[in-house]
C-alpha cells in the first residue's frame, strides 16, 4: 500500500464552512443531488468526501460523510444523498433541504480513494448504489481534464428506476464503457439475469489483471467487501484495489 | 453555528456519553482502505522489534498459551460512528511486552496488506490495549481484522490495526498510513482529533 498524500493547506481543510443550497436535482424518488455554493471552497480531488454537520434547534448536532459528486472546481460542489429508511441525516438532506437553506461542511477529506488526471493506467470503477457518487466525480474529472485513459464502470443498482446520473451516463463519453448490473429487476431484453455482482461480471466487463488497472470499489460495506475480494481472486494486486465503504449492510 | 430548521436528530441512548461529532450505531461498520486479506490463524506470526533490533515473535499457539483477558469497550470510528459495549478476548499488551527491553517512546504498528499506524508506546500499556482474536465469543471475522487485530479503544479505531503483523518500538515517531494522509497523529475521540491540526 503506497503512502496516501493530500493537497491543500491543512488549516483550510479543517475549517467548518457554510454552504448554501443553490439547487436540488432529483435523481430518483429516494436520491437527491444538492448543489452547494461554498465561498472560498478550494476544490477537491475526484474521490474525496466532505463532512457535513447538522445542528438541531436545541444545539444537538451530528455529522456524516458525503462524497463530492461534481467536477473539482473552486467555490462550488455537489453531493448526492440517498435517503435511508429511518436514517438520522440522509432523509433530511434528501427531502427537507430547500434552495436557500444553509448547512455546514468541511473538507475535502481523503487522500487514498482519489483519481488524479496525471494517472495513465486504465481504470476500473465498481459502484454499488450510491457508491457511484465519488466514481462519478472521477468520470467527470476525466472528462473536464480532457483525459484519454480508458475507464470502465460496472454499476450495480436495484432496477432501471434506481439510477443516478442516468442521462449523463447514457450520453456517455469516448473511452468510457458503462455496464449496468441490475440486482432486482432488469429492463426487458437484458441478457443478464437480475442478481448481485458475481466474479464473471468483473471478468466480462472489467479489465484483465495483466493490464494493471487501478480499481476503485465503492458502495455499501457488504457490496464493497464482496466486489473487492473478487478482484483480488481474479488476480488484481491488492495495492491496486482501492475501496470506499459507505456503511450499512444492505445491497 | 447554523441551525437546520426542522432537523431533530436522534439522541444517543440515555445515560451514555458520545464523543463530540459521533453518533451511535448498533451495527458494526467496516473501515479499511483496501480489500480484506484472507489470513489463517495457523500461519500467524506476530513480531515485536525493539529499537535495538532485538526481535520477539509469537506463533498462534504461543499467543493462545498467554493469559487472556476479556475487555468490554466502546469503539469510536473517525467516520463518525460509535458502538457501545463490544466484547473481545485477547492478550493485554502489558503481557505481550513484559519481557521486551526498550527505552523507546513510539511504536509503528504494521498489518498484512501494508497498512501502518503510529501510537505512543505509553498508549499501548497499563491496560489500555490488547491484541484480540475473538469478538462477541466468535473468532474475529476477516473484515473486522481477523485472525488477529490490535484493540486500542481510547483512540479512534483506525489506530486499532487489523490483520496485525508487527509492532516496531522506535525512538522517533513516524506517521502511518492515515496519519500521512492528513489524519491526526494521536486521534483522541474525546478531543475530536480527527485530522492533523484538529
Ligand atoms: C467516506 C464516505 C462517503 C460517503 N458518501 C456518501 C454519498 O456520497 N452518498 C450517500 O448517500 N451516502 C454516503 N455515505 C454514507 C453516509 O455517510 C451516511 O452513512 C448515510 O447517509 C446514512 O446516514 P443516516 O444518518 O441517514 O443513517 P443512520 O441513522 O446513520 O443509519 C440508519 C440505518 O441505515 C443503516 N445504514 C447506514 N449507512 C448505510 C448505507 N450506506 N447503506 C445502507 N444502510 C446504511 C444503518 O446501519 C442504520 O440501520 C458515505 C459514507 C462514507 C463513510
Amino acid at each position: 500500500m503506497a503512502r496516501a498524500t493530500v493537497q491543500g493547506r491543512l488549516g483550510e481543510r479543517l475549517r467548518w464552512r457554510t454552504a448554501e443550497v443553490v439547487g436540488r436535482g432529483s435523481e430518483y424518488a429516494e436520491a437527491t443531488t444538492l448543489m452547494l455554493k461554498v465561498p472560498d471552497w478550494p476544490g477537491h480531488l475526484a474521490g474525496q468526501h466532505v463532512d457535513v454537520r447538522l445542528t438541531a434547534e436545541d444545539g444537538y448536532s451530528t455529522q456524516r460523510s458525503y462524497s463530492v459528486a461534481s467536477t473539482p472546481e473552486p467555490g462550488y460542489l455537489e453531493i448526492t444523498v440517498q435517503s435511508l429508511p429511518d436514517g438520522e441525516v440522509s432523509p433530511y438532506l434528501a427531502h427537507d433541504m430547500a434552495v436557500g437553506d444553509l448547512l455546514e461542511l468541511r473538507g475535502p477529506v481523503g487522500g487514498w480513494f482519489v483519481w488524479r488526471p496525471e494517472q495513465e493506467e486504465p481504470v476500473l470503477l465498481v459502484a454499488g448504489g450510491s457508491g457511484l457518487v465519488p466514481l462519478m466525480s472521477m468520470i467527470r474529472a476525466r472528462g473536464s481534464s480532457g483525459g484519454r485513459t480508458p475507464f470502465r464502470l460496472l454499476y450495480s443498482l436495484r432496477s432501471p428506476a434506481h439510477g443516478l446520473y442516468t442521462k449523463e451516463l447514457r450520453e456517455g463519453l469516448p473511452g468510457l464503457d458503462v455496464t449496468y448490473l441490475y440486482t432486482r429487476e432488469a429492463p426487458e431484453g437484458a441478457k443478464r439475469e437480475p442478481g448481485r455482482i458475481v466474479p464473471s461480471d468483473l471478468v466480462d466487463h472489467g479489465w484483465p489483471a495483466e493490464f494493471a488497472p487501478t480499481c476503485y470499489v465503492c458502495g455499501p460495506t457488504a457490496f464493497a467487501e464482496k466486489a473487492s475480494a473478487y478482484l483480488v481472486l481474479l488476480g488484481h494486486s491488492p495495492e491496486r484495489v482501492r475501496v470506499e465503504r459507505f456503511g450499512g449492510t444492505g445491497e | 453555528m447554523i441551525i437546520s430548521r426542522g432537523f431533530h436528530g436522534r439522541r444517543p441512548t440515555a445515560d451514555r456519553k458520545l464523543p463530540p461529532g459521533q453518533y451511535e450505531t448498533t451495527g458494526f461498520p467496516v473501515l479499511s482502505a483496501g480489500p480484506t486479506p484472507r489470513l489463517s490463524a495457523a500461519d500467524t506470526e506476530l513480531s515485536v522489534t525493539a529499537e535495538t533490533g532485538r526481535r520477539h515473535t509469537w506463533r498462534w499457539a504461543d499467543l493462545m498459551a498467554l493469559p487472556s483477558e476479556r475487555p468490554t469497550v466502546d469503539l469510536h470510528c473517525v467516520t463518525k460512528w460509535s458502538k457501545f459495549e463490544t466484547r473481545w478476548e485477547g492478550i493485554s499488551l502489558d503481557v505481550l511486552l513484559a519481557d521486551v527491553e526498550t527505552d523507546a517512546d513510539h511504536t509503528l504498528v504494521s498489518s498484512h496488506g501494508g497498512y501502518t499506524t503510529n501510537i505512543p508506546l505509553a498508549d499501548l500499556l497499563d491496560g489500555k490495549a490488547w491484541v484480540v482474536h475473538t469478538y462477541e465469543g466468535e473468532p474475529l471475522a476477516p473484515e473486522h481484522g481477523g485472525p488477529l487485530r490490535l484493540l486500542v479503544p481510547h483512540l479512534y479505531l483506525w489506530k486499532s490495526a487489523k490483520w496485525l503483523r508487527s509492532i516496531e518500538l522506535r525512538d522517533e515517531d513516524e506517521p502511518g498510513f492515515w496519519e500521512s494522509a492528513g489524519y491526526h497523529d494521536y486521534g483522541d475521540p474525546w478531543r475530536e482529533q480527527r485530522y492533523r491540526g484538529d
Side-chain angles (χ1 to χ4, degrees), chain A residues 2-250:
Chain A
R3 267 294 160 69
T5 49
V6 273
Q7 59 161 17
R9 281 182 299 135
L10 275 157
E12 269 298 282
R13 290 198 296 114
L14 294 173
R15 195 159 57 77
W16 286 101
R17 299 164 197 270
T18 302
E20 181 187 345
V21 179
V22 293
R24 291 170 46 92
S26 175
E27 301 287 343
Y28 58 91
E30 293 92 38
T32 304
T33 294
L34 293 179
M35 294 145 198
L36 301 172
K37 193 170 88 182
V38 194
D40 61 29
W41 172 253
H44 73 292
L45 294 172
Q48 287 185 306
H49 65 270
V50 292
D51 287 351
V52 169
R53 175 163 76 184
L54 295 184
T55 304
E57 291 184 20
D58 65 352
Y60 167 82
S61 85
T62 191
Q63 303 177 21
R64 295 291 186 279
S65 300
Y66 291 95
S67 305
V68 182
S70 46
T71 307
E73 66 178 292
Y76 176 83
L77 63 97
E78 295 175 7
I79 61 174
T80 302
V81 179
Q82 182 193 342
S83 166
L84 294 177
D86 305 324
E88 181 178 14
V89 171
S90 59
Y92 184 85
L93 292 177
H95 302 309
D96 298 347
M97 289 219 87
V99 171
D101 283 351
L102 304 177
L103 57 75
E104 286 179 296
L105 60 78
R106 68 174 184 164
V109 183
W112 176 245
F113 196 82
V114 296
W115 178 81
R116 295 162 202 265
E118 310 81 272
Q119 285 176 229
E120 284 173 356
E121 73 285 3
V123 167
L124 176 63
L125 307 174
V126 185
S130 56
L132 180 59
V133 177
L135 308 182
M136 194 65 195
S137 182
M138 296 180 189
I139 290 171
R140 288 168 167 166
R142 173 185 176 276
S144 62
S145 65
R148 292 271 170 274
T149 53
F151 269 39
R152 286 185 176 170
L153 167 66
L154 273 74
Y155 178 22
S156 166
L157 67 170
R158 195 174 295 239
S159 79
H162 289 82
L164 299 177
Y165 321 120
T166 308
K167 180 159 171 285
E168 190 175 343
L169 285 176
R170 196 176 336 105
E171 284 165 1
L173 278 172
L176 167 69
D177 288 340
V178 182
T179 303
Y180 296 89
L181 308 172
Y182 298 100
T183 58
R184 300 279 172 78
E185 196 189 309
E188 212 146 311
K191 275 191 244 115
R192 184 182 177 280
E193 284 292 308
R196 291 175 187 241
I197 191 166
V198 289
S200 63
D201 294 321
L202 293 158
V203 173
D204 294 347
H205 306 290
W207 298 105
E210 304 82 77
F211 288 23
T214 298
C215 306
Y216 298 88
V217 178
C218 185
T221 300
F223 173 89
E225 279 293 313
K226 221 194 276 175
S228 58
Y230 293 158
L231 286 169
V232 173
L233 281 176
L234 293 173
H236 293 272
S237 113
E239 300 81 67
R240 295 193 162 279
V241 181
R242 302 185 186 201
V243 188
E244 188 89 282
R245 295 163 173 89
F246 272 9
T249 46

Side-chain angles (χ1 to χ4, degrees), chain A residues 51 58 60 88 92 245, chain B residues 5 10-11 23 32 36 195:
Chain A
D51 287 351
D58 65 352
Y60 167 82
E88 181 178 14
Y92 184 85
R245 295 163 173 89
Chain B
R5 218 167 291 284
R10 197 190 305 122
R11 317 301 151 110
Y23 64 92
S32 30
T36 296
Y195 311 117

Side-chain angles (χ1 to χ4, degrees), chain B residues 28 72 83-89 134-139:
Chain B
F28 195 171
T72 296
K83 185 171 169 59
F84 292 117
E85 293 196 5
T86 59
R87 289 192 290 271
W88 303 82
E89 183 174 346
T134 300
Y135 172 67
E136 300 291 346
E138 302 283 340

